[in-house]
Amino acid sequence: MTQSHPRISKAVIPAAGLGTRFLPATKATPKEMLPVVDKPAIQYVVEEAVSAGLDDVLMITGRNKRPLEDHFDRNYELESALQKKGDAGRLAKVQESSDLATMHYVRQGDPRGLGHAVLCAAPHVGDEPFAVLLGDDLIDPRDPLLQRMIEVQERHGGSVIALMEVDPEQIHIYGCAAVETTADSDVVKVTGLVEKPDAADAPSGYAVIGRYVLDPHVFGILRRTEPGRGGEIQLTDALQQLAQDEKVGGPVHGVVFKGRRYDTGDRGDYLRAIVRLACEREDLGPDFRTWLRSYVAEEMQQS
């Protein structure tokens, strides 16, 4: 008999990172506000949470992150100017971000790692399971990963992490999961986790990507977790404890994702994400694809 678990309604988005890989662009502009075509990356993430039914969003911010709050707030001067011009299309786009969800904000203070950022959400989340979405990972809305993770958590309880199979030479930049198969082809049981292992030490080819559905018991573990790799409090270390002892907060499962993911935390992948998404836009795609074909053909002739 399937056990019923509390419905998830809250999403946490850590957004306190400095964005050093995108300097000097991020010297005064949060990396989360860098545009992906004509929308900041962070808006795609909030839209994903809302599409999964999570309309209560807590953003963990830091210094120089005020533009994030401004983006999801009303801008009456701009709205009034667009209204006077009769520009209904752009007015709707401006108002869309402020009407997406109920937004909350808390500052992390010291940059002490993802685990510490998640711990900052404890007073807001309370004793409910919740989702964590990292702003560097954009998941294509046609591939509803978060919805699937919520379904798995509601069925099994505990925590659920998103996994993606990567090339062995890339595993050292991710957390890596040791897994056992289950009756569902896209779901595995997680038995252990290692943060950024060498390829030879990796327990599998499954990398942890930036989506989590967490049991609130994770907060108690994070409070006791000592700084790990990089001198930071690692969420991976807390999940490792949950995976080893189901009595603490239930099991840890993984959803194996094979859909479209865009890593906007890497400069090359950020550019590729813009090209892919622009090509698929009805308003931009036809002309942009024509130009892109021409550009590639010219480059090939010259090489």
Side-chain angles (χ1 to χ4, degrees), residues 125-184:
V125 169
D127 295 327
E128 305 173 24
F130 63 103
V132 175
L133 299 86
L134 303 191
D136 287 345
D137 278 342
L138 302 190
I139 304 297
D140 194 293
R142 293 167 293 184
D143 301 313
L145 169 62
L146 187 57
Q147 292 178 24
R148 176 59 174 152
M149 294 174 68
I150 291 172
E151 291 171 3
V152 172
Q153 197 280 336
E154 289 178 341
R155 187 195 314 169
H156 297 289
S159 298
V160 181
I161 62 178
L163 301 174
M164 178 174 272
E165 195 161 12
V166 301
D167 293 332
E169 59 268 21
Q170 291 183 310
I171 199 67
H172 71 280
I173 63 176
Y174 295 95
C176 180
V179 302
E180 296 176 352
T181 59
T182 71
D184 294 318

Side-chain angles (χ1 to χ4, degrees), residues 195-207:
E195 181 67 18
K196 298 181 179 178
D198 293 331
D201 300 324
S204 75
Y206 288 121

Side-chain angles (χ1 to χ4, degrees), residues 33-51:
M33 289 300 296
L34 295 178
V36 180
V37 188
D38 55 2
K39 231 175 8 182
I42 195 68
Q43 185 170 332
Y44 289 87
V45 180
V46 174
E47 288 173 350
E48 180 188 350
V50 173
S51 294

Side-chain angles (χ1 to χ4, degrees), residues 20 37 48 55 65 76 82 129 138 164 169 200 225 265 267 294:
T20 52
V37 188
E48 180 188 350
D55 57 2
K65 299 287 185 168
Y76 293 102
L82 292 171
L138 302 190
M164 178 174 272
E169 59 268 21
T225 299
R267 289 176 298 174
S294 175

